[in-house]
């Protein structure tokens, strides 16, 4: 079993020092969280975990809870907004570098990575055809940085059957080992 905690939002009500021991006591063995692209790469080409990222990753390990990280959302250094999907070749290349560096920097502490979060929900107006190139870029960079990491795709939010169909029709299934459906 797992729980999605959103510690990356760094809110006082979501304290991993309180929540992880409770999860461990309840037999919950996985946490799902994200480290946002804009937070990890605040300046072009400079990749750095924030202290609160380090804290939740350390506390997760100390409590024997495995971590699944979501690789998500835009970065105004490259995309139109901090929520924009990378769709151009340049944006995808930058997103791929973010993925590679984050996976490399968390190797041994993070065991699985999801691509984006609820693509069908957080990208209103974005054609689903953009998911397949995003999946390919993300998968390749995860595996280049850590071949043992699990690659989790789709991450659809309840209405995602058309996203799944479109992504699979475009071959995205070959760029993931698991599918997340909320």
């Amino acid at each position: 079993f797992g729980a999605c905690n959103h510690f990356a939002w760094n809110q006082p009500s979501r304290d991993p020092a309180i929540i992880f021991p409770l999860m461990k006591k309840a037999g919950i063995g996985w946490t799902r969280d994200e480290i946002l692209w804009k937070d990890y790469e605040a300046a072009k080409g400079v990749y750095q975990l924030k202290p609160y990222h380090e804290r939740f990753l350390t506390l997760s390990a100390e409590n024997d809870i495995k971590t699944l990280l979501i690789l998500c959302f835009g970065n105004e250094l490259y995309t139109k907004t901090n929520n924009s999907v990378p769709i151009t070749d340049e944006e995808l290349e930058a997103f791929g570098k973010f993925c590679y560096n984050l996976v490399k920097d968390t190797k041994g502490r993070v065991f699985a990575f999801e691509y984006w979060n609820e693509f069908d929900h957080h990208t209103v107006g974005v054609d689903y055809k953009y998911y397949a190139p995003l999946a390919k870029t993300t998968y390749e960079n995860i595996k280049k940085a850590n071949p043992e990491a699990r690659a989790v795709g789709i991450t659809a939010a309840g209405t995602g059957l058309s996203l799944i169909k479109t992504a699979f029709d475009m071959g995205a299934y070959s760029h993931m080992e698991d599918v997340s459906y909320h």
Side-chain angles (χ1 to χ4, degrees):
F1 290 99
C4 186
N5 293 299
H6 296 299
F7 294 129
W9 296 98
N10 197 28
Q11 297 173 337
S13 63
R14 297 179 183 184
D15 185 349
I18 295 169
I19 294 173
F20 280 142
L22 293 173
M23 288 174 60
K24 183 176 182 176
K25 190 174 186 176
I28 299 171
W30 281 83
T31 186
R32 177 180 177 267
D33 214 302
E34 62 273 301
I35 293 178
L36 304 175
W37 182 12
K38 70 177 183 71
D39 293 338
Y40 181 66
E41 186 184 3
K44 279 191 175 188
V46 179
Y47 305 97
Q48 185 174 17
L49 293 166
K50 304 283 188 218
Y52 56 91
H53 298 143
E54 290 285 3
R55 183 171 182 256
F56 84 72
L57 291 171
T58 298
L59 289 167
S60 174
E62 287 175 0
N63 285 278
D64 298 317
I65 295 173
K66 291 183 178 176
T67 299
L68 176 150
L69 278 184
I70 310 161
L71 303 168
C72 62
F73 301 136
N75 185 328
E76 288 181 346
L77 297 172
Y78 304 98
T79 59
K80 191 181 302 184
T81 71
N82 284 333
N83 290 323
S84 298
V85 175
I87 57 175
T88 68
D89 289 344
E90 294 80 17
E91 291 168 347
L92 286 167
E93 180 181 349
F95 188 75
K97 288 177 182 177
F98 151 68
C99 295
Y100 172 81
N101 283 285
L102 183 57
V103 172
K104 179 179 62 72
D105 286 350
T106 59
K107 189 173 183 177
R109 298 188 288 169
V110 177
F111 300 92
F113 295 88
E114 280 187 3
Y115 328 153
W116 214 255
N117 180 51
E118 301 175 348
F119 190 91
D120 57 325
H121 179 68
H122 289 288
T123 57
V124 175
V126 174
D127 194 311
Y128 290 166
K129 72 181 181 183
Y130 293 114
Y131 188 80
L134 179 73
K136 182 180 188 301
T137 295
T138 307
Y139 179 84
E140 289 173 351
N141 282 283
I142 288 171
K143 293 302 180 177
K144 184 168 49 171
N146 182 359
E148 291 81 38
R150 296 294 297 177
V152 182
I154 303 294
T155 318
T159 58
L161 295 178
S162 59
L163 168 60
I164 292 169
K165 181 180 180 340
T166 301
F168 277 29
D169 285 351
M170 295 183 71
Y173 59 85
S174 64
H175 298 108
M176 61 190 74
E177 296 159 319
D178 302 296
V179 172
S180 176
Y181 186 76
H182 305 175

